[in-house]
Amino acid sequence: MRTYLLFLSLLLSLGISAQTKSEVKKMPMANVPIKEETKQIYYTTTFNSELADSVLYKRAVHWYKTAYKSMRIQNENCVQFSKLTGRAECDLLGLKEGKEQPTDGRLKFTVNTTIEKGKVTVEITRFNIQDAKFNPIEPWLKFQEQDLKYKYYFIYIEEYSKKLLDSFVESVNVKKAN
């Protein structure tokens, strides 16, 4: 009888793990663009504005300082009225477990903005997990094929990045009311 129960338990556990892997394969992949030159994940947006570069730059600085409290401008990488660089961080949320959604680490990233003749390009790149040294997340890409956790991380990062880029465009590209 014990052998029978042990065998049944083994079959049940194999069935559950097989189901999980098939669910991972069914779930859509995150759109993870990789920059060829740097081999790093990046998200970007570009827009054109009729506003002067100096106005766009000032609005961008204001966004960097106020939109996300973790954002810090890297002054050594900035060029007045044409380039801004900032570092930010957020909680990397894990898979929801019941009503709880755990924090699986602290995600750090770089936001670069270039402004040239009314054309504004914003790029989010250099994603890494907080640690004593730089730990990029690009090696995780190979794990998302079999592990739902990593696939979820990339979907979360994609959604977070798009929300951040939309916030930037909405705040910086505002025309003055007449």
Side-chain angles (χ1 to χ4, degrees):
M1 184 70 170
R2 276 188 162 180
T3 308
Y4 177 73
L5 286 175
L6 183 63
F7 181 72
L8 187 62
S9 298
L10 181 64
L11 281 176
L12 186 59
S13 66
L14 286 174
I16 290 172
S17 71
Q19 181 183 3
T20 305
K21 288 189 180 198
S22 66
E23 288 175 5
V24 171
K25 291 187 187 297
K26 288 179 192 173
M27 188 175 166
M29 301 286 273
N31 180 18
V32 185
I34 304 287
K35 198 172 213 176
E36 280 301 313
E37 311 87 66
T38 61
K39 303 291 187 220
Q40 293 178 335
I41 297 170
Y42 78 106
Y43 295 94
T44 187
T45 190
T46 301
F47 65 90
N48 292 310
S49 178
E50 298 172 2
L51 299 171
D53 287 357
S54 60
V55 173
L56 292 168
Y57 184 84
K58 288 175 185 174
R59 289 182 177 185
V61 168
H62 178 74
W63 179 85
Y64 272 72
K65 289 182 176 181
T66 61
Y68 293 87
K69 67 180 183 179
S70 72
M71 183 80 68
R72 294 167 309 284
I73 294 176
Q74 306 292 304
N75 291 324
E76 63 276 3
N77 297 330
C78 297
V79 177
Q80 190 169 17
F81 303 130
S82 66
K83 183 180 175 191
L84 270 169
T85 299
R87 296 279 299 144
E89 56 187 67
C90 68
D91 288 332
L92 180 60
L93 299 179
L95 288 167
K96 199 170 191 178
E97 299 168 359
K99 293 183 180 182
E100 299 287 321
Q101 188 163 15
T103 300
D104 285 354
R106 202 72 182 142
L107 182 70
K108 292 186 170 194
F109 53 91
T110 300
V111 180
N112 295 310
T113 303
T114 56
I115 303 168
E116 187 177 333
K117 298 178 185 170
K119 183 178 178 181
V120 181
T121 302
V122 185
E123 178 184 78
I124 305 170
T125 190
R126 287 186 51 91
F127 291 96
N128 64 92
I129 293 298
Q130 181 175 353
D131 202 351
K133 60 181 182 167
F134 182 76
N135 285 322
I137 63 169
E138 285 78 9
W140 292 358
L141 286 169
K142 63 184 171 209
F143 299 132
Q144 73 171 336
E145 290 289 330
Q146 287 91 21
D147 193 337
L148 183 62
K149 175 176 76 172
Y150 290 101
K151 189 178 281 195
Y152 181 81
Y153 289 157
F154 285 114
I155 291 171
Y156 175 79
I157 291 166
E158 177 184 23
E159 289 174 356
Y160 185 87
S161 297
K162 286 180 179 180
K163 187 175 87 172
L164 190 135
L165 291 170
D166 289 345
S167 166
F168 181 90
V169 173
E170 187 179 304
S171 298
V172 174
N173 196 27
V174 178
K175 294 184 180 170
K176 189 174 179 182
N178 293 330

